[in-house]
Amino acid sequence: NTVAYEMKEENIGYIQVSGFETVTYRQFETALTELTNQGMQSLVVDLRNNPGGNLSTVCDMLDLILPQGTIVSTKDKKGKGEVITSDEERQLNIPMAVLINGNSASASEIFAGAIQDYGVGTLVGTTTYGKGIVQNIYGLPDGTSLKLTTSEYFTPKGRNIHGIGIEPDVKVEYVYNKDNPEADNQLEAALECLREI
């Protein structure tokens, strides 16, 4: 299970995604459907400490949210590339905030970068890891594998974030509350952003 979700106060949906695996798309779609049926009026997607995962999975998830257009583009060392797009069949037309931090990497940054470039949500937290490359794993005859960097990727507006990361729109450092360990000041900041809309 890579997706957890619940309804917060004031009909704000909350979806936490811990990784982008092949099963994640269906779990995310289910979460969106369930929260929508419960009367969700705005949404927080939590990508903190999400190291990334499957490229096609994150693109399929973004296709549920974005308007028609480019989700991400890739380019190899020879300049050959691919453009992955979203269609106009489904998009999410409610206010959204996306939580990110320094451990949000790779596919998480594709998600956050697309949300930011399209202006359909507010990024809250701290700057992401900065992994703007695509890697593939190739099995070898002796049972071992080789992980090879095959291309770099770009956000819808053409940004290459490798080694730079994605800056949040609202910068909030996480502060541990020893009196209330369950407190989450970054999540509270994201909820407050949605309340103000």
Side-chain angles (χ1 to χ4, degrees), residues 15-112:
I15 302 178
Q16 182 184 46
V17 183
S18 59
F20 293 94
E21 312 303 332
T22 52
V23 297
T24 307
Y25 170 76
R26 288 295 175 206
Q27 294 173 4
F28 184 76
E29 184 181 40
T30 297
L32 278 179
T33 301
E34 289 287 329
L35 290 168
T36 299
N37 289 341
Q38 292 175 37
M40 175 173 65
Q41 295 178 0
S42 55
L43 173 66
V44 175
V45 178
D46 191 346
L47 300 180
R48 291 175 296 177
N49 304 314
N50 181 326
N54 190 288
L55 176 63
S56 61
T57 296
V58 67
C59 290
D60 287 344
M61 289 167 63
L62 284 164
D63 192 23
L64 298 173
I65 297 171
L66 298 177
Q68 185 175 14
T70 298
I71 295 175
V72 66
S73 60
T74 63
K75 189 179 293 184
D76 64 19
K77 66 180 181 180
K78 295 180 180 177
K80 292 182 179 179
E82 176 186 13
V83 178
I84 302 172
T85 60
S86 60
D87 58 34
E88 59 183 345
E89 184 179 342
R90 293 175 71 175
Q91 57 182 294
L92 198 65
N93 292 311
I94 58 174
M96 180 167 49
V98 178
L99 283 165
I100 54 174
N101 66 10
N103 293 321
S104 304
S106 192
S108 289
E109 294 174 292
I110 290 175
F111 191 104

Side-chain angles (χ1 to χ4, degrees), residues 123-155:
L123 303 188
V124 180
T126 54
T127 304
T128 60
Y129 183 82
K131 185 182 180 189
I133 54 175
V134 178
Q135 295 177 311
N136 292 313
I137 297 175
Y138 299 91
L140 301 176
D142 65 355
T144 61
S145 298
L146 173 69
K147 182 184 277 188
L148 192 66
T149 299
T150 55
S151 58
E152 55 187 350
Y153 73 76
F154 301 86
T155 70

